[in-house]
Amino acid sequence: MKLTKYYLAAFFAFFIWGFFSLALKPLHHYPSLDIMFYRVFFSVVLMVLINLVFRGKVLRKNWIHFSKMPQEQKRRTVVLTLGGALFLASNWFVFIFVMNHVSVKAASLAYLICPILTTVIAFYMLKETLSKGQWIAVMISILGCVLLSLNHFEDIFFSLVVAATYAFYLVSQRKNCELDKFLVLTIQLLFTALILLPFYPKYSGTIPTEPLFYGCLLIIVVFFTIIPLFLNLYALKGINSSTVGIMIYINPIINFLLAIFYYNEQVSVLQLCSYFLILVSIVVFNAKLIFSKNQKVAPSRRNVANKV
């Protein structure tokens, strides 16, 4: 089986996320925590309905598979799934805060740092190997990020938090391969909703009444939550965390272009050079895919329950 569909899944996940600001910016006058609450709650309701109405057979297969697992394997699957939910929830909240209360460029910087962190974490924790060309690509991307961070040190802290939470999510989910990916995502969002629920009465604002809020929220839930997250997890079935991580660069490049041409944020020549270097690093990192048509899936743990 060729790798192309997994690369395409990763590409389109981050391509879609690149336009997230278009749905998020109109809600900038709402508290970040409120957007987080409603995004998670609405996503859970929709995904649970999809599973119950359309995916009954998949649920039964996965339950039978889970019940037959050795106890240690069960514990590992639960820890990876729920731990991933915590990383994902942290990433969402900080990203929304940075996007709406710091700047679009600061949010972009976070996802420029993220591929580097993902590659390093995967190298040490998962023992994923990279070719010399891919390490060169990582060095090029580091150079681009360093140049981009010059004179913007106030953004670094938030960018690192956003980047680290998503990097750990990617790396952890690479090993979470026992259950159906859509089901895993549903469980993660349900767990996140249960964590947030006790805080909702005290920390939420007044219930929004504007149609704009619910229209943007519906777009966020479907097009910027469920679809790209599923594509992301699906991609991790066939390609490693480092490769998916480097695809994250697609997201901030689109954000950067929107910041220039849509939000009219000021951009320096240095920043333009930085993003050009990052674009070069993407091409270098994925050179084998771009110039070869015979890529095959590397051996990995698979089972019937993991089919999507």
Side-chain angles (χ1 to χ4, degrees), residues 156-221:
I156 292 296
F157 173 75
F158 289 107
S159 298
L160 282 172
V161 174
V162 175
T165 51
Y166 199 71
F168 277 110
Y169 175 74
L170 279 181
V171 172
S172 66
Q173 297 316 291
R174 172 63 174 164
K175 289 293 185 179
N176 192 11
C177 55
E178 296 296 338
L179 300 177
D180 172 80
K181 294 300 185 182
F182 193 86
L183 177 58
V184 167
L185 184 56
T186 304
I187 294 170
Q188 288 177 336
L189 293 182
L190 181 58
F191 181 64
T192 302
L194 292 175
I195 293 173
L196 293 177
L197 194 57
F199 298 98
Y200 177 78
K202 183 176 180 180
Y203 294 101
S204 65
T206 56
I207 297 176
T209 57
E210 295 181 39
L212 173 66
F213 178 85
Y214 293 100
C216 289
L217 193 68
L218 179 62
I219 293 172
I220 288 172
V221 166

Side-chain angles (χ1 to χ4, degrees), residues 3-4 7 11 134 243 246-247 250 279-295:
L3 284 173
T4 305
Y7 277 94
F11 173 84
Q134 288 174 320
T243 304
I246 209 72
M247 291 286 190
I250 296 164
L279 184 61
V280 170
S281 75
I282 297 175
V283 175
V284 174
F285 194 94
N286 294 289
K288 284 187 177 181
L289 175 72
I290 295 171
F291 301 109
S292 174
K293 297 181 180 180
N294 298 314
Q295 294 291 315

Side-chain angles (χ1 to χ4, degrees), residues 31-42:
S32 300
L33 199 53
D34 274 6
I35 299 173
M36 172 79 165
F37 281 139
Y38 289 105
R39 181 187 187 186
V40 172
F41 295 155
F42 280 32

Side-chain angles (χ1 to χ4, degrees), residues 265-279:
E265 293 187 6
Q266 296 299 313
V267 177
S268 66
V269 174
L270 183 62
Q271 289 173 319
L272 288 172
C273 293
S274 301
Y275 275 90
F276 176 74
L277 285 174
I278 289 163
L279 184 61

Side-chain angles (χ1 to χ4, degrees), residues 19-75:
F19 295 93
F20 189 19
S21 62
L22 296 178
L24 191 57
K25 270 295 186 181
L27 305 180
H28 69 275
H29 55 286
Y30 288 95
S32 300
L33 199 53
D34 274 6
I35 299 173
M36 172 79 165
F37 281 139
Y38 289 105
R39 181 187 187 186
V40 172
F41 295 155
F42 280 32
S43 296
V44 167
V45 170
L46 183 57
M47 294 187 74
V48 168
L49 285 175
I50 291 173
N51 276 290
L52 292 178
V53 176
F54 300 106
R55 310 184 81 240
K57 290 183 179 180
V58 175
L59 294 179
R60 286 190 292 272
K61 282 184 179 179
N62 278 263
W63 174 250
I64 293 171
H65 176 66
F66 181 78
S67 63
K68 292 180 179 179
M69 287 182 191
Q71 196 62 34
E72 179 62 25
Q73 195 173 6
K74 285 183 181 179
R75 187 190 66 81

Side-chain angles (χ1 to χ4, degrees), residues 211-249:
L212 173 66
F213 178 85
Y214 293 100
C216 289
L217 193 68
L218 179 62
I219 293 172
I220 288 172
V221 166
V222 176
F223 295 102
F224 297 107
T225 302
I226 296 175
I227 292 175
L229 278 176
F230 173 72
L231 289 173
N232 208 174
L233 289 176
Y234 180 77
L236 287 168
K237 289 174 61 179
I239 54 180
N240 62 33
S241 307
S242 302
T243 304
V244 174
I246 209 72
M247 291 286 190
I248 294 174
Y249 281 135

Side-chain angles (χ1 to χ4, degrees), residues 84-103:
L86 292 176
F87 286 128
L88 195 59
S90 302
N91 176 263
W92 283 1
F93 175 73
V94 181
F95 177 79
I96 290 170
F97 177 83
V98 172
M99 180 70 77
N100 280 353
H101 301 288
V102 182
S103 72

